[in-house]
Amino acid sequence: MKREIVTKLAPKAIGPYSQGIRSSGGTIFASGQIPIDPATGELVAGGIAEQTERVLENLKAVLEADECSLEDVVKTTVYLKNIDDFAAMNTVYAKYFPSCPPARVCVEVARLPKDALIEIDCIAFEGHNFSY
């Protein structure tokens, strides 16, 4: 079983995909977000820091639309147009995941939609606060 996640607080899907999907068992799959301002539909101005912040705000909005948060994220994939932006991206990224950051993959790619500098997708698990 799965359920689509939809919010106006993140850019709407521009193709045959969902902003996010919740599967049975509490796993949330958020589609890759690029730095589109959902209010304007335009790429945000600025460099990698501004774009990283917008991407993470978009992911946060998708998760919150399903009563989750970035605290529930267990895995991200970061796609950078230029791997030289890694340190600057990482500085912003760290602010969004201050404790127990998720597992992550970061790769350089040839091109992203709208010539964005970054795209991030994630997997979250509601109820990740288990005790061992």
Side-chain angles (χ1 to χ4, degrees):
M1 301 289 296
K2 65 181 181 178
R3 180 178 75 230
E4 183 177 28
I5 302 169
V6 179
T7 180
K8 292 181 180 180
L9 299 177
K12 69 178 194 169
I14 55 173
Y17 64 92
S18 301
Q19 288 173 312
I21 293 289
R22 174 185 279 272
S23 67
S24 59
T27 304
I28 298 97
F29 299 88
S31 291
Q33 292 291 317
I34 61 172
I36 298 290
D37 181 335
T40 66
E42 299 296 324
L43 205 64
V44 296
I48 191 65
E50 294 82 6
Q51 289 199 11
T52 301
E53 184 172 349
R54 180 72 260 164
V55 165
L56 290 166
E57 288 295 325
N58 290 345
L59 282 174
K60 182 177 163 187
V62 171
L63 295 170
E64 288 176 351
D66 201 53
E67 300 179 5
C68 289
S69 73
L70 290 173
E71 294 276 323
D72 297 307
V73 174
V74 295
K75 169 82 169 55
T76 63
T77 305
V78 178
Y79 307 90
L80 290 174
K81 185 175 180 180
N82 185 341
I83 201 70
D84 291 339
D85 287 336
F86 182 83
M89 174 279 297
N90 219 33
T91 298
V92 175
Y93 183 97
K95 293 176 186 175
Y96 282 82
F97 299 104
S99 63
C100 193
R104 180 177 79 182
V105 171
C106 183
V107 296
E108 181 179 61
V109 296
R111 193 165 180 207
L112 292 166
K114 297 193 177 258
D115 286 324
L117 301 177
I118 186 169
E119 180 172 359
I120 303 175
D121 65 26
C122 73
I123 300 170
F125 182 73
E126 185 180 45
H128 73 287
N129 295 320
F130 349 19
S131 46
Y132 293 99

